[in-house]
Amino acid sequence: MHVPPFSLNKQLSEIGPQLEEALLRVLRSGHYIGGSEVEHFEKGFAESVGVPFAVSCNSGTDALIIALRALDIGPGDEVITCSFSFFATAEAITLVGAKPVFVEVDPHNYLIDIQKIESAITPSTKALLPVHLFGCPVNMDELMKLAHKNNLKVIEDCAQASGTKWNGDFVGSFGDVGCFSFFPTKNLGASGDGGAVTTKNKMLSIRMRQLAVHGMPKRYVHTEIGYNSRLDAIQASILNVKLPLLEGWIERRKSIASKYRELLKDVKEIQLPMSDLKDHSWNQFVIRIKSLDKDFDSSEQKEYFHQEHTKQQIESISKRDWLQNNLTEKGISTIIYYPIPIHLQPAYKCLGYTVGQLPQTEKLSKEVLSLPIFPEITIDEQQYVVSSIKDIFKNSKYP
Ligand SMILES: *Cc1c(COP(=O)(O)O)cnc(C)c1O
């Protein structure tokens, strides 16, 4: 059996005709930039998040950049976020000229450790940028309290968390701006790149709309340097078909996650993701494989960060990698989100972080493994993933 980490095949066979019709409608309309599909999507998406304004743009990365710019964050400013995320979270901060400051994650839910934020605040701190990683919502009650107390802006990175709630409200409705991605593997995926920002603040929504179109409030009047960052009408038409299905897909992700949990509960070698959150939308189901001390203290590990390194070198160092290789041999594709934390990426050598500075984050990077999860995965496929994991721990030997 082959189990992919993510697959659109079944989704396409379920909604293929609607998607094709939407594509043809746009193609024949001749309205490829802006227009009714885009307007319809923005309205529907804002409603789905529970805010009055959504502005679409070209990607989740652009959504973050546009949000930061609209909040006047730039050179000299610091933005607190976490290093255990996709690179774009920090990249956007750097691209507007500000400095990302990384706070340790909570090893139980893999999210920014709210208790550790306050000690990272300096007179230059302008904003907090929490990431609802893997579809798990950050505790926005606590985070917003902290932000208000310290007079900080809040930009939510909701790229992996479309349709996720925290305490009854949707993520993207708490902070000053919510930033979403419609990259195909996200909870709500387009057939290409796409993104959106959400806000309750009308002035902010106007500024973001202008920034996304060359800083142009009026045709050919440019009041600031902006971007060419629009959602194509074609992508909007795809998203218009998919948005009403999001809630059902998330319900399926939730039941897939609880099935994994049930099937894996006796496997002592792995640690399951935190379970007490009914609102986790499970964009990823990320387990941990406890590393051995020898995986950790090796000077080899210290050397590979900040250097050009081969895939082989990375793979030579942990039990997690051993499990992943064995699963690959059995036809099961898993993914490591993310093997190198952002603060240790070669591109961020300039920030001066060193190995050991964010130990929880670094440990997670060596231990996490994302099992195949998408709304259409079958119970047979899940059972095969789990029996393969059990079989590997029982019958293969870790070197
Ligand atoms: C995917 C992702 C982004 C960037 O979104 P794109 O649409 O790929 O630009 C940003 N942050 C996180 C956490 C992501 O997972």
Side-chain angles (χ1 to χ4, degrees):
M1 190 185 276
H2 278 269
V3 188
F6 170 76
S7 165
L8 281 170
N9 290 349
K10 278 176 227 141
Q11 192 194 94
L12 283 176
S13 69
E14 282 168 23
I15 57 170
Q18 289 104 295
L19 293 174
E20 284 169 17
E21 194 209 305
L23 286 176
L24 280 175
R25 193 171 61 233
V26 174
L27 193 63
R28 289 174 182 147
S29 76
H31 283 282
Y32 303 151
I33 303 286
S36 61
E37 292 284 352
V38 176
E39 283 163 23
H40 183 73
F41 175 68
E42 288 182 342
K43 195 161 169 284
F45 192 67
E47 258 165 42
S48 79
V49 175
V51 294
F53 308 104
V55 177
S56 58
C57 63
N58 192 267
S59 67
T61 306
D62 280 6
L64 290 165
I65 293 170
I66 289 165
L68 288 159
R69 282 285 309 279
L71 290 166
D72 289 317
I73 292 163
D77 298 331
E78 292 177 1
V79 178
I80 293 177
T81 189
C82 48
S83 172
F84 193 62
S85 181
F86 179 56
F87 188 70
T89 304
E91 190 180 34
I93 298 168
T94 305
L95 280 170
V96 302
K99 183 179 156 193
V101 173
F102 301 114
V103 165
E104 189 64 298
V105 285
D106 178 340
H108 300 292
N109 59 13
Y110 316 146
L111 304 175
I112 192 164
D113 188 337
I114 296 177
Q115 308 313 320
K116 296 195 174 139
I117 291 178
E118 207 143 32
S119 62
I121 295 174
T122 73
S124 301
T125 307
K126 262 279 193 78
L128 305 180
L129 204 165
V131 183
H132 304 294
L133 195 72
F134 306 141
C136 187
V138 170
N139 183 332
M140 290 309 289
D141 298 325
E142 276 185 32
L143 191 123
M144 292 308 295
K145 215 185 288 169
L146 193 66
H148 288 141
K149 185 177 152 203
N150 293 281
N151 197 22
L152 300 172
K153 303 289 184 196
V154 174
I155 297 146
E156 295 176 68
D157 185 337
C158 310
Q160 300 184 8
S162 286
T164 307
K165 281 182 180 170
W166 166 258
N167 200 10
D169 289 310
F170 285 98
V171 301
S173 70
F174 293 91
D176 295 274
V177 185
C179 300
F180 291 84
S181 166
F182 308 124
F183 186 83
T185 60
K186 310 286 165 124
N187 284 348
L188 177 64
S191 302
D193 278 309
V197 285
T198 54
T199 185
K200 290 177 173 161
N201 181 324
K202 185 169 184 188
M203 293 314 290
L204 211 47
S205 78
I206 293 170
R207 176 108 188 260
M208 292 193 287
R209 191 174 291 289
Q210 292 171 5
L211 279 166
V213 189
H214 306 289
M216 185 170 72
K218 245 170 85 178
R219 187 166 281 202
Y220 307 128
V221 179
H222 303 267
T223 49
E224 61 185 324
I225 304 298
Y227 309 89
N228 175 2
S229 185
R230 289 173 290 228
L231 183 71
D232 287 343
I234 284 190
Q235 297 305 339
S237 76
I238 298 271
L239 291 166
N240 281 329
V241 173
K242 292 189 178 190
L243 182 58
L245 304 170
L246 177 62
E247 200 183 329
W249 285 336
I250 286 175
E251 285 312 309
R252 270 144 87 173
R253 285 181 182 275
K254 286 180 183 175
S255 62
I256 292 158
S258 60
K259 193 78 203 171
Y260 266 140
R261 187 177 295 290
E262 177 195 321
L263 295 171
L264 284 165
K265 67 177 188 298
D266 300 326
V267 185
K268 63 180 191 321
E269 290 89 347
I270 68 175
Q271 187 180 320
L272 291 168
M274 195 178 75
S275 65
D276 57 356
L277 265 181
K278 69 174 183 2
D279 287 329
H280 195 316
S281 64
W282 302 103
N283 181 246
Q284 298 297 335
F285 189 87
V286 180
I287 60 170
R288 286 177 72 174
I289 296 88
K290 287 240 160 278
S291 52
L292 307 180
D293 285 345
K294 78 175 176 67
D295 295 336
F296 251 88
D297 298 332
S298 68
S299 57
E300 187 187 0
Q301 187 210 356
K302 295 197 174 169
E303 270 171 30
Y304 96 84
F305 288 121
H306 285 156
Q307 283 178 13
E308 291 296 320
H309 43 266
T310 63
K311 190 154 188 294
Q312 237 168 0
Q313 275 175 303
I314 297 172
E315 280 176 359
S316 67
I317 47 187
S318 79
K319 193 164 185 182
R320 181 268 318 270
D321 298 325
W322 165 83
L323 174 65
Q324 184 182 40
N325 293 341
N326 276 276
L327 284 168
T328 305
E329 272 171 36
K330 290 176 181 289
I332 297 163
S333 305
T334 54
I335 300 186
I336 296 163
Y337 298 111
Y338 294 92
I340 305 175
I342 301 175
H343 69 287
L344 297 178
Q345 289 290 348
Y348 274 130
K349 200 172 177 174
C350 53
L351 290 177
Y353 284 89
T354 52
V355 172
Q357 234 174 319
L358 297 173
Q360 298 293 356
T361 298
E362 292 164 29
K363 199 164 158 63
L364 279 179
S365 286
K366 306 204 61 58
E367 296 189 347
V368 289
L369 188 67
S370 301
L371 300 184
I373 188 165
F374 48 95
E376 299 82 7
I377 194 170
T378 64
I379 180 68
D380 285 354
E381 287 171 323
Q382 276 196 281
Q383 264 158 352
Y384 180 63
V385 171
V386 172
S387 64
S388 299
I389 291 173
K390 289 181 176 169
D391 181 58
I392 291 163
F393 281 124
K394 196 158 160 227
N395 298 317
S396 306
K397 205 175 141 19
Y398 176 58

